[in-house]
Amino acid sequence: MSLIQRITTSLRANIEQAVDQIENQDALIEAAIGEMRQANARARARLGRVQRDRQTLQSRRDELQQAAEQWRQRALRSAADETTALACLQRHNRCTEQCQQLEQDLAQQRLEEDRLRARLEQNERRIGQLSQRRHLLRTRESSLQAERLMQPRQDGPIDVESVFERWEGRLIEAEPVSASCSPLDSDLGVEFGPEFGPEAGVAAADPLAQRFAREEQDKALRRQLQVLLSKEQGDE
């Protein structure tokens, strides 16, 4: 892979990563769904308070209705005493007026309760739709990513053998060179006889060794001469 191709691949990867960091659609949708669920939780708590208030108003209305009926009965029983009967009717009317006001308040509470319940149901449906759509898009994205990974690279496949060669060359350059022995010494001993090899010092000090060395050298020279003569005769 050339240097330009490697730079292009690196830049493209960095750009794609930057785009993903700037806008992660899945995370944005997840955050939006989370906010809607939090709003639903608050609305559900509000609905609970409205329902409790309605129940309290209903209990108070029932008590006032019973009180109004009780004062009406007392007024009837006190018909002989006009002053007492009028006082009972006055309390009866007051209870009736309060009941009427509570009925209006209850009507408002029911409207608020119905509105909150409808909004909750609508939001729940919306959350379900968004979650389903998010699931479908995530599935599509996963499929596209899998297909993209299986497709061949646009800048060509990586030259694996070239990479291995560069790697091995770098290791060879870094490895220390062994200097424990010199092949030149061994070659000299074989090619030119023992007087140039490791036994040269011994031959110089021992006459017998010198004689054997001369004989071996003569034999080697004779063999070399025979080879040379045979080669010349073959050429003729």
Side-chain angles (χ1 to χ4, degrees), residues 146-161:
E147 292 179 0
R148 189 181 300 114
L149 291 175
M150 291 185 292
Q151 290 178 356
R153 298 166 58 94
Q154 295 181 356
D155 51 0
I158 298 176
D159 190 355
V160 178
E161 294 299 330

Side-chain angles (χ1 to χ4, degrees), residues 164-175:
F164 274 124
E165 289 177 1
R166 292 196 300 272
W167 188 4
E168 186 176 3
R170 180 173 57 82
L171 293 177
I172 292 175
E173 292 177 358
E175 289 175 348

Side-chain angles (χ1 to χ4, degrees), residues 10-25:
S10 178
L11 288 175
R12 183 167 58 250
N14 291 335
I15 291 173
E16 292 177 355
Q17 184 178 5
V19 171
D20 291 339
Q21 291 177 353
I22 293 173
E23 184 180 28
N24 188 335
Q25 292 84 3

Side-chain angles (χ1 to χ4, degrees), residues 43-52 113 116-117 120:
R44 195 175 292 107
R46 171 63 179 168
L47 178 61
R49 289 195 299 270
V50 170
Q51 290 175 340
R52 289 191 296 271
E113 185 176 344
L116 288 174
R117 187 179 291 106
L120 275 172

Side-chain angles (χ1 to χ4, degrees), residues 30-93:
E30 183 179 5
I33 293 175
E35 291 178 357
M36 294 183 66
R37 285 174 176 165
Q38 291 177 359
N40 263 19
R42 292 191 295 268
R44 195 175 292 107
R46 171 63 179 168
L47 178 61
R49 289 195 299 270
V50 170
Q51 290 175 340
R52 289 191 296 271
D53 292 343
R54 176 178 55 80
Q55 293 172 358
T56 301
L57 291 176
Q58 287 177 346
S59 298
R60 178 59 178 164
R61 181 203 59 187
D62 294 341
E63 292 175 357
L64 288 173
Q65 286 178 347
Q66 293 176 1
E69 179 62 22
Q70 186 177 16
W71 285 115
R72 190 180 72 84
Q73 293 294 333
R74 288 173 179 174
L76 292 175
R77 291 196 301 268
S78 303
D81 186 354
E82 183 179 4
T83 303
T84 303
L86 292 176
C88 291
L89 285 176
Q90 185 179 10
R91 288 168 174 76
H92 165 76
N93 293 336

Side-chain angles (χ1 to χ4, degrees), residues 26 133-150:
D26 188 15
R133 188 175 180 184
R134 176 193 176 205
H135 176 72
L136 293 175
L137 290 178
R138 290 181 67 181
T139 302
R140 288 175 57 187
E141 184 178 18
S142 299
S143 300
L144 289 175
Q145 289 177 352
E147 292 179 0
R148 189 181 300 114
L149 291 175
M150 291 185 292

